[in-house]
Amino acid sequence: DRVLIDIGDGQSIADSMSTFAGHRRTMSRMLSGSTAASLVLLDEIGAGTDPAEGSAIAMAVLDRLLETGSTVIATTHHGAIKNYALSHPGVTNASVTFDERTLSPTYLLVQGVPGESHALEIAGRSSIPPEVLDAAKEYLDREKSDLDRAAGEIAARTLEIARKQQEIEAVSGEIRRRAEGGVSGSGTTTWPARRMADRIGAGVSPS
């Protein structure tokens, strides 16, 4: 019935409105106006305040929107919210892959994998002194969450599975083409070839 959007920064010195206050006002309107037919778009949900408290509020807001039945797309850099998606039915992580050579997104959407920020890599291309970046890396090594470490492993496995699936589909297509061409003298397709093609197409070992 409607599209509800919270994107950008609504802070205003003239109105004594902080970043979080702007998001809070918009989220309040969303919670009172969303329905099961609503599409809700939330950019950087939980931002503009203490990360722990912002994440807690964001997860509670998501709970309410899910109870309402709204369709929600939310972006975040907070690990707690990424973990929320891993542990709640009906919610899934997604991210776009990142070209580390150009430091730009590829816009290839990978579902089921939480994204990583790559802030240090991007900062390394700016004028921030190297010694400051080295100190930042030391802090990160001490504080880096298990979720971020797991995200890299999950992303690598997911991409490998996608590559394997492409290989399987290519082999399956070739086997099917050969099966269609493998006609006996009576004009019927050979059963073993067709059976193998069907099994590979379903992702089953041909043995």
Side-chain angles (χ1 to χ4, degrees):
D1 61 346
R2 68 188 69 183
V3 178
L4 304 173
I5 302 174
D6 183 13
I7 295 177
D9 191 335
Q11 68 174 307
S12 170
I13 295 177
D15 297 332
S16 297
M17 182 75 68
S18 68
T19 296
F20 177 69
H23 287 302
R24 181 191 62 200
R25 182 175 61 181
T26 304
M27 285 190 293
S28 177
R29 292 172 181 168
M30 288 180 169
L31 292 174
S32 62
S34 61
T35 70
S38 298
L39 171 61
V40 181
L41 306 178
L42 301 167
D43 183 38
E44 295 293 351
I45 186 171
T49 188
D50 175 80
E53 294 185 359
S55 295
I57 293 172
M59 291 185 285
V61 168
L62 292 173
D63 283 343
R64 177 62 64 85
L65 292 171
L66 291 172
E67 290 170 3
T68 302
S70 301
T71 299
V72 182
I73 300 176
T75 65
T76 184
H77 284 87
H78 292 333
I81 302 176
K82 298 176 188 178
N83 191 51
Y84 171 94
L86 293 173
S87 58
H88 283 68
V91 185
T92 185
N93 278 303
S95 59
V96 292
T97 57
F98 185 79
D99 188 328
E100 295 184 3
R101 181 178 59 83
T102 62
L103 298 182
S104 60
T106 65
Y107 300 102
L108 173 63
L109 182 67
V110 180
Q111 296 191 44
V113 179
E116 297 180 272
S117 296
H118 299 284
L120 285 176
E121 291 89 339
I122 295 172
R125 298 287 184 92
S126 68
S127 57
I128 295 178
E131 61 271 19
V132 173
L133 290 175
D134 290 341
K137 291 174 182 177
E138 291 181 8
Y139 279 118
L140 184 62
D141 288 340
R142 293 199 296 265
E143 301 294 335
K144 192 169 179 63
S145 68
D146 291 338
L147 175 64
D148 284 344
R149 284 194 293 270
E153 297 173 0
I154 293 172
R157 287 198 296 267
T158 301
L159 292 175
E160 180 62 21
I161 290 172
R163 284 193 290 268
K164 292 293 185 183
Q165 184 62 36
Q166 289 179 340
E167 293 175 4
I168 290 172
E169 291 173 356
V171 172
S172 175
E174 179 62 23
I175 291 177
R176 287 182 184 276
R177 285 191 293 273
R178 294 185 180 185
E180 293 297 333
V183 179
S184 66
S186 61
T188 58
T189 304
T190 56
W191 170 248
R194 179 177 290 279
R195 183 182 180 190
M196 182 176 290
D198 290 339
R199 287 175 65 83
I200 292 181
V204 180
S205 171
S207 61

